[in-house]
Amino acid sequence: MKIEVLTIFPEFFREVFDFGIIRRARRAEIVGINVYDLRDFATGKHRTTDDRPFGGGDGMVFKPEPIFNAVEKILGTTEREKYPPRTRVVLLTPQGKVLKQALAKELADEVENLVLICGRYEGVDERVNEVLVTDEISIGDYVLSGGEPAAIVLVDALVRLLPNALGSETSAANDSFSNGLLDFPHYTQPRDFRGLTVPEILLSGNHAEIEKWRRQKALEKTQKVRQDLLNKENG
Ligand code: 6GU
């Protein structure tokens, strides 16, 4: 997968894509990530990327031109119908569809070229949405100052789902949410840590019983903190 990030804060991404799973996936060429400064696509003396909203109101709005210019440069066109196959242009804003594991999986499975436009809280000129954007995504019901942290979250969630991104020691199939439940509790050495002991069942070697225990704990945890996940339509 190729991921192109459009942002007014390219520095924000400098280090985060250079650790752990993402770093390894980039080195193995499982994913290629480029970060672009929207200012480089702005025109005019001051190369501004935003301006005041028509109709009045607080805050600034991203102008359409730098974003159109950037998408045209990256994809060769600003017509959705002419995008290369398996291309999505995602606008990260609080107005988007909320990211869930199922959406991450869909994108990981179906997309070859992913363009991420980091919006800003006050807004992005709607013509970007009307013409360029294929998916508008939010990462949850809270306010971020910009789409940058959301882009990082989305990239991380996607990259770990790409074939061979995880080492053989880990598997996305065992992750929380992949089975619709939260994860079960984990323990490691020592068996007795300051009088806090590990559940006996985990030391029993009885894998069928351990499996049952884990499933039960996952269910209890989910019931306790995320009842909504147990209603199937929220998966
Ligand atoms: Cl994608 N952007 C902003 N600004 N705030 C958010 C968000 C995105 N997702 C949740 N809150």
Side-chain angles (χ1 to χ4, degrees):
M1 178 183 282
K2 273 177 52 198
I3 302 176
E4 325 278 1
V5 181
L6 308 185
T7 174
I8 53 166
F9 299 127
E11 291 293 321
F12 200 97
F13 297 91
R14 192 115 319 186
E15 306 218 346
V16 284
F17 292 148
D18 209 20
F19 287 97
I21 302 286
I22 297 178
R23 175 194 181 96
R24 208 174 58 189
R26 294 176 81 181
R27 294 199 164 178
E29 297 183 15
I30 291 165
V31 67
I33 304 176
N34 296 305
V35 179
Y36 300 86
D37 189 344
L38 270 176
R39 255 181 104 83
D40 292 342
F41 299 92
T43 55
K45 198 163 103 211
H46 301 291
R47 297 200 306 152
T48 53
T49 53
D50 58 5
D51 207 332
R52 291 159 60 196
F54 278 123
D58 290 337
M60 301 288 274
V61 175
F62 270 153
K63 289 147 66 90
E65 192 186 24
I67 300 177
F68 272 69
N69 286 346
V71 168
E72 178 152 50
K73 171 84 180 295
I74 292 166
L75 298 179
T77 173
T78 55
E79 293 175 59
R80 264 193 297 245
E81 309 72 42
K82 296 186 182 160
Y83 287 164
R86 295 160 68 85
T87 296
R88 303 277 191 107
V89 175
V90 171
L91 179 61
L92 291 152
T93 75
Q95 281 68 248
K97 178 173 176 184
V98 176
L99 179 64
K100 296 282 164 68
Q101 191 65 19
L103 178 55
K105 184 87 176 84
E106 175 195 319
L107 294 174
D109 288 348
E110 294 179 8
V111 178
E112 193 46 51
N113 303 299
L114 186 64
V115 179
L116 303 181
I117 304 169
C118 300
R120 53 184 294 165
Y121 177 62
E122 295 88 346
V124 176
D125 189 289
E126 188 61 18
R127 288 164 288 191
V128 168
N129 230 337
E130 288 168 5
V131 176
L132 302 176
V133 169
T134 61
D135 301 80
E136 199 175 0
I137 296 178
S138 159
I139 62 164
D141 294 336
Y142 40 80
V143 174
L144 302 171
S145 314
E148 283 78 9
I152 291 168
V153 167
L154 178 58
V155 168
D156 192 290
L158 286 181
V159 168
R160 55 183 290 105
L161 291 173
L162 297 176
N164 304 318
L166 299 184
S168 53
E169 73 276 12
T170 41
S171 159
N174 293 331
D175 286 351
S176 274
F177 301 115
S178 59
N179 63 359
L181 297 177
L182 300 180
D183 206 359
F184 52 80
H186 302 261
Y187 295 86
T188 185
Q189 301 287 358
R191 285 184 181 203
D192 184 327
F193 174 68
R194 301 184 179 179
L196 304 166
T197 54
V198 173
E200 277 300 322
I201 182 80
L202 298 178
L203 312 173
S204 69
N206 185 336
H207 292 292
E209 283 302 312
I210 290 171
E211 211 39 59
K212 243 168 76 184
W213 181 87
R214 286 178 165 166
R215 169 94 197 157
Q216 180 59 29
K217 288 292 172 188
L219 202 57
E220 283 169 20
K221 179 80 179 179
T222 309
Q223 258 156 357
K224 189 159 165 222
V225 306
R226 291 296 305 277
Q227 186 67 47
D228 60 300
L229 290 179
L230 299 174
N231 307 332
K232 214 50 226 123
E233 66 274 19
N234 294 322

